[in-house]
């Protein structure tokens, strides 16, 4: 296409011209710190979640170190209007995550407040979740959970404010007897995930697992 000639897709790290559906070149891809966690075994993110709520399984695709390429990728998705980054991250996830014969019943993305959704123009988790749903053949819901309060980005909050998440979310419909896989972009303190998990657990005889794009130690 003409646009590809005048505005070619470039690696977000080294600026090399790359395929239109890619994020990074092959050399930069090798610099991404994937976790290689086993969804069904104990790992760092599962141990962190255990301190906050009853959890079944957990998985993080990448590490989220300071000045890392993974951090740059997530920021492209959230703050640079590159919604399609979510699809690429989902494709990378399918290369690393095998549910075997124990698939969750439902994929649930962390919601944005309606004001934040209007500001950003999209929820950065939706395309990611929908791509995973199609690949694994698991239904998804973007509206099971509702965010009750508008707040600034987690990255801009100090630790004290990040801990104040009580009544942040509410569940919008009755659900019981389901294994819910909660999906978020970055796991930091775990308080966002915990707030949602308890709403789901209180709603009925449900089980909760966690999947995030990256985890910040």
């Amino acid at each position: 296409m003409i646009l590809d000639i005048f505005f070619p897709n470039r690696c977000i790290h080294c600026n090399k011209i790359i395929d239109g559906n890619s994020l990074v070149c092959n050399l930069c891809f090798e610099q991404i710190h994937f976790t290689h966690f086993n969804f069904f075994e104990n790992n760092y993110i599962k141990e962190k979640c255990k301190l906050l709520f009853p959890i079944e399984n957990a998985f993080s695709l990448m590490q989220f170190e300071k000045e890392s390429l993974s951090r740059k990728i997530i920021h492209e998705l959230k703050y640079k209007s590159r919604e399609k980054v979510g699809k690429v991250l989902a494709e990378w996830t399918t290369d690393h995550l095998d549910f075997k014969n124990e698939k969750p019943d439902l994929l649930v993305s962390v919601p944005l407040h309606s004001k934040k959704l209007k500001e950003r123009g999209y929820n950065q988790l939706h395309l990611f979740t929908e791509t995973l749903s199609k690949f694994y053949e698991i239904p998804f819901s973007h509206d099971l959970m509702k965010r009750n309060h508008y707040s600034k980005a987690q990255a801009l909050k100090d630790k004290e404010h990040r801990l104040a998440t009580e009544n942040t979310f509410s569940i919008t419909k009755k659900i019981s007897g389901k294994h819910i896989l909660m999906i978020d972009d970055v796991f930091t303190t775990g308080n966002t995930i915990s707030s949602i998990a308890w709403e789901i657990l209180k709603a009925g005889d449900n089980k909760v697992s966690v999947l995030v794009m990256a985890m910040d130690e």
Side-chain angles (χ1 to χ4, degrees):
M1 294 176 63
I2 294 178
L3 287 178
D4 295 329
I5 296 174
F6 290 101
F7 302 99
N9 187 39
R10 294 182 179 273
C11 173
I12 65 172
H13 190 53
C14 72
N15 210 37
K16 178 181 178 181
I17 295 177
I18 55 177
D19 178 82
N21 295 318
S22 300
L23 288 179
V24 294
C25 67
N26 291 336
L27 287 177
C28 290
F29 181 81
E30 298 300 322
Q31 299 181 38
I32 299 172
H33 294 167
F34 293 104
T35 66
H36 303 290
F37 285 165
N38 186 314
F39 181 69
F40 298 101
E41 297 178 359
N42 281 338
N43 54 56
Y44 179 84
I45 189 171
K46 184 174 181 179
E47 291 300 319
K48 295 286 285 187
C49 288
K50 280 182 178 179
L51 300 175
L52 301 170
F53 60 91
I55 186 171
E56 294 297 312
N57 303 298
F59 178 84
S60 173
L61 176 64
M62 303 178 293
Q63 301 281 0
F64 195 67
E65 305 101 328
K66 185 178 181 180
E67 306 300 329
S68 66
L69 180 50
S70 59
R71 183 181 291 264
K72 183 180 289 188
I73 290 170
I74 299 294
H75 282 201
E76 288 285 321
L77 171 64
K78 295 181 68 172
Y79 308 120
K80 299 293 183 65
S81 300
R82 294 191 64 177
E83 184 179 9
K84 290 184 179 180
V85 170
K87 184 176 187 296
V88 177
L89 289 174
E91 291 168 349
W92 291 353
T93 300
T94 62
D95 291 333
H96 292 80
L97 176 58
D98 183 1
F99 290 123
K100 302 176 182 178
N101 295 319
E102 300 180 41
K103 294 193 298 185
D105 299 309
L106 184 67
L107 309 181
V108 174
S109 54
V110 172
L112 294 177
H113 188 271
S114 57
K115 182 178 178 180
K116 178 64 69 61
L117 183 61
K118 185 175 181 179
E119 290 174 355
R120 185 171 295 169
Y122 61 95
N123 183 315
Q124 72 274 10
L125 300 174
H126 284 184
L127 186 56
F128 178 79
T129 301
E130 291 161 15
T131 304
L132 294 178
S133 172
K134 184 176 180 179
F135 180 86
Y136 292 115
E137 297 183 332
I138 302 172
F140 68 87
S141 174
H142 293 324
D143 58 4
L144 178 66
M145 302 305 303
K146 176 184 176 182
R147 187 182 290 265
N148 298 320
H149 309 292
Y150 174 81
S151 62
K152 60 184 178 182
Q154 286 280 9
L156 302 178
K157 298 179 184 178
D158 58 34
K159 186 173 181 180
E160 180 180 353
H161 286 106
R162 287 201 300 269
L163 293 175
T165 56
E166 186 176 1
N167 300 320
T168 300
F169 301 95
S170 57
I171 197 162
T172 63
K173 62 187 75 172
K174 291 183 179 180
I175 187 167
S176 183
K178 299 295 184 181
H179 181 187
I180 308 298
L181 181 64
M182 298 187 300
I183 296 177
D184 202 0
D185 46 30
V186 180
F187 184 98
T188 50
T189 64
N191 286 282
T192 295
I193 287 289
S194 179
S195 297
I196 294 176
W198 280 114
E199 293 300 321
I200 292 173
L201 292 169
K202 290 187 299 182
D205 184 25
N206 298 307
K207 297 187 296 183
V208 170
S209 290
V210 169
L211 166 62
V212 295
M213 297 172 180
M215 53 170 284
D216 190 352
E217 296 187 35

